[in-house]
Every structure is written in C-alpha cells, then in structure tokens.
C-alpha cells in the first residue's frame, strides 16, 4: 500500500523538480530566473504557472506539454494544468549600434528567385502572430521588395531624438500605424526612401553606411527578433552585418532542384566564413497541390534541401509548398492579411517559425550563459 504524500511535500517536490527545467531563452533553470510561479493542488488537479518570455512564446504550448510530463513523474495520476503567461525580460543592447534585440535572424540565399523575401516577411509575421516582438529590416538595397509584399508605403519620419521612425505594420495588416499600437511591427527598407522606378547605384562603402544607419538610427524599440531580408548572392552586406552586431543565425532559403542547392551551399559557406551560425535551411516551392483535383506535383522536385541540410549537418526547418493564395497576396500587398486569417496557407510557416525557436531553445539549453560579474 502506497503512503499518500502530503500536499505541501508534493508541491515542494514539484517545485524542486520543475525548477531545474531550463528557461528556453537562456538555458538557465527557471527557478533561478523567477519564471516558476504558483503551484496549487485542488483535489486531484495540480495547477501551475510557468512564465515564458515573449521570445519563446511561439513554442509555449510545447514547453507546457514538457512541464506537464515532468510533473507527472512526481505526481502520477494527477491532472496537471500548466499556464504559460508572458514573463517580462527586456533585451540588452547589441554591439556598438545599440540595437535592442535578443535574436538577429538573417534570411538569405545563394541566388535570386527562390522566394527569399516572401519567406523573410512571412517568418517575421508568423513569429509576431505567435507572440514575439518582431522587427523586419529589408537589407536588399538594390531590389527592396518587402514594402510591396506587405502593402506598406510612406516616408519614414525623424523623431525628436533624431531617430528614423520605421513604417509600422498593424496586427491586421494596416500600413503606417502609430508606434503605440499594440502588436505593431516596425519595418525598414530602402524602398521607403526611393521612388518606385529609381535604381540604387552604390559601391560598397555606401552600402555599408546605409546598413549601419538602418541598425543604429532606426527606432526599432525592444525586439525579441530582428529578421533581416538579405540581398541574393554572397555580397559584402553579410560581412557588414557580422561586424556590426552579433548575429544569432542565418536561415538559408532554396528550392529543391540541384542547381539551386549548389548556390545554397555557397551561401552557407559564406555565412560560415564570416562566423555567422546557420540557423537552418528552408525548402521553398516544395511541391504544388492542385486546388481542383487535390493531386500534388513536385514541379521543382522535393526533399533536396532536407538531404542537403543533413549532408551539411545544419538544421532543416521545413518545406513551403507553392501556394497560389500566398502568391496572389504578395502581389497585392496583402501577405500580412492572408497569413493572419488563412489557417491552411500559414500552417507551413508556423512549422518553420516553431522549428527555428525550438532549435534556438535547444542551443541555449546545451550551453547556458555563465553568470557574469557586475561591472564596477
């Protein structure tokens, strides 16, 4: 016969066990970071609160499932309810530019025409919808397409503190909402500073200066993620960014066919040479499902990026099928609206975004930062 455990002892055991679970953002035990909240026992139901920062809210449901399974090892047979409220933790300043962001994610490719800008914009929108604070920077100075994809227009203003005010996208796809709008996503692009038919003809130093200014002089606010849409190829903007701020990782976009994968390999090599970690590969245009008959056609092949990611020992974040709805939305400047309301169209991007955050959490858990001494 099993001796019943006293409620106070059970809760103490739970607190000790769960308190050692790593915070997905930092890898430190959640008890030490103040994220483990109240634990109560009501009959056979255990209720607990585990704060998750907005940086990791995209995988909060997965963390809740893990905590629930962990609690069952201490309290078998109990009904476990786990709440994951937002745990406030502001970002630190990055580099000499002073950008306040926790993770800087580059989205690049070895060549143009693989849907890189659509993936970058959609990744930013998805992370925002899943609970993170996100900014989107269009670093493709020669061919900025983010403003068109999102239906954004207007000229950035200069604030009283001499900062550039980015164009902000509202939670429902509204253009140019005020800074105080809840859920507004700041977007900065050279496309806001040029006429539609005007070309940029710059050498390296001018590119370097514009990227530095976008990072340093834009009122980004406090971000969990700054997603940066890179220009195609292996130019010097990656080097500029690697010298300006710590880069969390690069997402490499490619299509399944071998000729595109060859260029993706070059992009990965370039990022590694400038000491930018590879956050993962995304296979875009991965199959097409006919809306009339439901049959799937592998127009450009399928699985090439997954195989190449395995060969290069980099994470594979997921595949994105050819989607007529998203293509039409991008052309019409309504990408944000469709991703906010069309569950079918946004499902593959949910997978990619969650895979990215999950991988960052696993990396933090495997190498949590050491405690730093205070600066005197």
């Amino acid at each position: 016969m099993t001796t019943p455990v006293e409620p106070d002892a059970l809760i103490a055991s739970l607190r000790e066990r769960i308190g050692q679970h790593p915070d997905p953002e930092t890898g430190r035990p959640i008890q030490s970071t103040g994220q483990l909240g109240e634990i109560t026992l009501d009959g056979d139901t255990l209720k607990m609160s585990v704060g998750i920062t907005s940086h990791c809210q995209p995988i909060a449901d997965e963390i809740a499932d893990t905590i629930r399974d962990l609690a069952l090892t201490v309290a078998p047979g109990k009904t476990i309810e786990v709440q994951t409220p937002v745990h406030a933790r502001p970002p630190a300043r990055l580099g000499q530019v002073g950008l306040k962001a926790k993770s800087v994610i580059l989205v690049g490719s070895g060549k143009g025409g693989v849907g890189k800008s659509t993936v970058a914009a959609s990744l930013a929108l998805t992370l925002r919808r899943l609970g993170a604070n996100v900014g989107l920077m269009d670093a493709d100075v020669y061919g900025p397409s983010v403003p068109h994809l999102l239906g954004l227009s207007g000229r950035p203003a200069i604030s009283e503190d001499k900062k550039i005010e980015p164009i902000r996208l509202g939670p429902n796809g509204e253009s140019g909402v005020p800074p105080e709008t809840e859920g507004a996503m700041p977007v900065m692009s050279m496309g806001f500073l040029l006429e539609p038919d005007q070309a940029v003809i710059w050498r390296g130093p001018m590119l370097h200066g514009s990227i530095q200014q976008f990072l340093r002089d834009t009122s980004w606010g406090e971000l969990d993620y700054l997603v940066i849409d890179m220009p195609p190829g292996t130019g010097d903007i990656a080097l500029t960014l690697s010298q300006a701020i710590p880069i969390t990782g690069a997402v490499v976009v490619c299509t399944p066919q071998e000729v595109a994968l060859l260029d993706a390999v070059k992009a990965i090599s370039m990022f590694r040479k400038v000491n930018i970690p590879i956050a993962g590969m995304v296979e875009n245009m991965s199959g097409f499902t006919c809306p009339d008959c439901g049959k799937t056609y592998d127009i450009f092949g399928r699985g090439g990026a997954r195989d190449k990611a395995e060969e290069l020992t980099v994470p594979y974040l997921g595949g994105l099928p050819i989607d007529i709805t998203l293509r039409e939305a991008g052309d019409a400047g309504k990408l944000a609206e469709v991703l906010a309301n069309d569950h079918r169209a946004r499902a593959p991007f949910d997978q990619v975004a969650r895979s990215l955050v999950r991988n960052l959490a696993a990396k933090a858990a495997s190498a949590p930062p050491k405690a730093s001494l205070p600066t005197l």
Side-chain angles (χ1 to χ4, degrees):
M1 183 175 178
T2 305
T3 304
V5 180
E6 291 293 327
D8 289 347
L10 178 60
I11 290 174
S13 297
L14 279 167
R15 186 168 290 280
E16 181 179 357
R17 184 68 179 274
I18 295 171
Q20 297 305 309
H21 188 74
D23 164 34
E25 182 186 323
T26 65
R28 298 191 180 101
I30 58 175
Q31 180 67 44
S32 67
T33 57
Q35 291 170 255
L36 181 56
E38 187 179 18
I39 301 177
T40 59
L41 179 61
D42 182 8
D44 283 335
T45 301
L46 273 165
K47 298 180 180 181
M48 61 187 67
S49 175
V50 178
I52 304 298
T53 60
S54 53
H55 182 274
C56 294
Q57 279 293 322
I59 57 170
D61 54 347
E62 299 176 18
I63 299 167
D65 289 340
T66 301
I67 295 292
R68 190 177 296 108
D69 292 342
L70 190 60
L72 284 172
T73 65
V74 179
K78 300 292 186 185
T79 300
I80 312 292
E81 296 180 3
V82 181
Q83 294 181 327
T84 53
V86 176
H87 178 79
R89 182 185 296 145
R93 292 183 180 273
L94 294 180
Q96 295 183 349
V97 297
L99 175 71
K100 291 183 179 180
K102 293 180 179 179
S103 295
V104 178
I105 304 296
L106 310 185
V107 179
S109 62
K111 60 181 299 199
V114 298
K116 168 187 55 60
S117 294
T118 301
V119 172
S122 299
L123 177 61
L125 290 166
T126 303
L127 287 169
R128 180 186 69 162
R129 182 174 51 79
L130 294 176
N133 299 317
V134 185
L136 177 59
M137 174 176 148
D138 187 354
D140 192 350
V141 174
Y142 293 122
S145 53
V146 166
H148 182 86
L149 290 169
L150 300 180
L152 296 176
S153 59
R155 296 273 181 171
I158 303 297
S159 64
E160 292 181 359
D161 58 353
K162 307 301 181 184
K163 290 282 190 178
I164 302 170
E165 287 292 342
I167 305 299
R168 290 177 170 84
L169 182 74
N172 297 313
E174 315 95 308
S175 174
V177 298
E180 62 273 12
T181 304
E182 185 176 357
M185 185 174 78
V187 181
M188 191 61 200
S189 171
M190 185 59 69
F192 297 138
L193 307 175
L194 301 172
E195 296 300 327
D197 58 349
Q198 186 177 352
V200 173
I201 308 173
W202 284 354
R203 292 185 182 274
M206 296 183 72
L207 285 175
H208 176 83
S210 68
I211 296 301
Q212 287 274 2
Q213 190 172 26
F214 278 6
L215 291 172
R216 182 185 62 242
D217 298 335
T218 301
S219 293
W220 291 108
E222 296 185 347
L223 302 176
D224 293 311
Y225 297 92
L226 177 62
V227 178
I228 301 181
D229 179 26
M230 298 287 288
T234 54
D236 59 356
I237 285 184
L239 182 59
T240 295
L241 287 167
S242 69
Q243 293 171 341
I245 50 174
I247 305 296
T248 306
V251 173
V252 177
V253 181
C254 62
T255 48
Q257 69 270 42
E258 187 63 31
V259 68
L261 291 169
L262 291 173
D263 290 315
V265 170
K266 294 176 184 176
I268 290 173
S269 175
M270 179 267 294
F271 285 128
R272 284 174 167 168
K273 283 184 178 179
V274 295
N275 297 316
I276 294 176
I278 306 300
M281 291 182 70
V282 171
E283 182 172 280
N284 198 23
M285 308 181 195
S286 181
F288 167 71
T289 300
C290 176
D292 297 324
C293 67
K295 185 177 180 180
T296 298
Y297 297 90
D298 295 331
I299 298 174
F300 298 110
R302 182 187 288 268
R306 181 191 291 275
D307 294 340
K308 188 61 68 175
E310 183 177 349
E311 178 186 328
L312 297 173
T313 63
V314 300
Y316 177 70
L317 301 179
L320 304 171
I322 298 172
D323 192 307
I324 295 176
T325 301
L326 287 175
R327 196 274 301 166
E328 292 174 343
D331 283 349
K334 296 182 178 180
L335 187 62
E337 182 180 329
V338 169
L339 287 175
N341 300 303
D342 191 325
H343 295 271
R344 180 201 56 79
R346 75 190 189 195
F349 289 102
D350 284 6
Q351 177 190 342
V352 169
R354 287 193 168 102
S355 294
L356 172 65
V357 179
R358 192 183 304 122
N359 291 347
L360 295 180
K363 184 177 180 180
S366 65
K370 297 178 181 179
S372 58
L373 295 174
T375 303
L376 301 178

